[in-house]
Amino acid sequence: SQIQEEIESQIQEEIESQIQEEIEVKVESNLADKQKDFREKTKRLYIKLAPKFKIIITFSQLVGGFGFALAITFPEPYTSFVNVLESVTETISLNAFSMTPFECHFHGTNYFSNLIFSTMYPIVLSAILMGLHARDKARKKENSPWFSIFL
């Protein structure tokens, strides 16, 4: 009778162990499915919204320069709106000279140093991004982000 109880106890433990393993496998499978769904939804959202954000950024860069380029005083609601766009655009556009002057980092610089750097850094940055894209393309890597960032 004691042997029978031990055998029943071992069988019960083995059954509980198997049930626990099956539950863990199902939970992990369900979690993996949810993670895949979340990634797919996030990717679709990115694909849908990325062009819109690019348009908004480009629009704000264009409108932000109107007051400076045209030397016209616009009415107040428009001026406030453009000032907000201009401050956001300066932050987004990586214009290092609008945040801190070049002279603060390198003594002895002048307008021409600023002009050369301002002209060259977008070209160099573009070349780096295109090089990264070409490297990924040569490696046959799918979904390389570098060309999108370049644009």
Side-chain angles (χ1 to χ4, degrees):
S1 115
Q2 187 176 8
I3 296 174
Q4 187 177 7
E5 287 178 14
E6 286 180 23
I7 293 173
E8 287 177 2
S9 172
Q10 288 177 350
I11 292 173
Q12 184 68 25
E13 288 176 8
E14 191 172 318
I15 291 173
E16 288 175 1
S17 165
Q18 288 177 352
I19 291 173
Q20 185 65 27
E21 287 178 20
E22 289 178 14
I23 290 173
E24 288 176 5
V25 167
K26 287 182 180 180
V27 167
E28 288 177 17
S29 172
N30 191 20
L31 183 60
D33 291 342
K34 286 183 180 180
Q35 287 175 341
K36 287 178 187 176
D37 288 345
F38 178 74
R39 282 191 202 122
E40 288 176 17
K41 286 179 184 178
T42 305
K43 189 174 182 178
R44 281 191 300 240
L45 184 65
Y46 172 77
I47 290 170
K48 183 178 179 181
L49 294 179
K52 294 174 183 169
F53 279 117
K54 288 179 184 178
I55 290 169
I56 290 171
I57 290 169
T58 304
F59 173 76
S60 64
Q61 288 173 335
L62 291 171
V63 171
F66 281 168
F68 174 74
L70 300 176
I72 297 173
T73 305
F74 292 105
E76 180 46 42
Y78 181 77
T79 305
S80 299
F81 177 71
V82 169
N83 288 339
V84 169
L85 285 179
E86 189 173 7
S87 66
V88 169
T89 301
E90 284 182 6
T91 304
I92 291 173
S93 68
L94 301 174
N95 188 354
F97 300 114
S98 67
M99 293 181 225
T100 59
F102 199 51
E103 294 84 19
C104 291
H105 298 290
F106 302 101
H107 182 68
T109 58
N110 56 19
Y111 171 78
F112 293 108
S113 308
N114 187 350
L115 178 67
I116 289 170
F117 183 78
S118 296
T119 304
M120 292 304 295
Y121 95 83
I123 295 169
V124 171
L125 183 63
S126 297
I128 290 169
L129 290 172
M130 291 305 292
L132 290 170
H133 174 71
R135 181 197 68 185
D136 285 352
K137 193 172 182 181
R139 292 180 179 173
K140 296 183 174 144
K141 183 178 177 185
E142 293 290 324
N143 300 326
S144 175
W146 303 116
F147 191 73
S148 248
I149 293 170
F150 168 75
L151 292 178

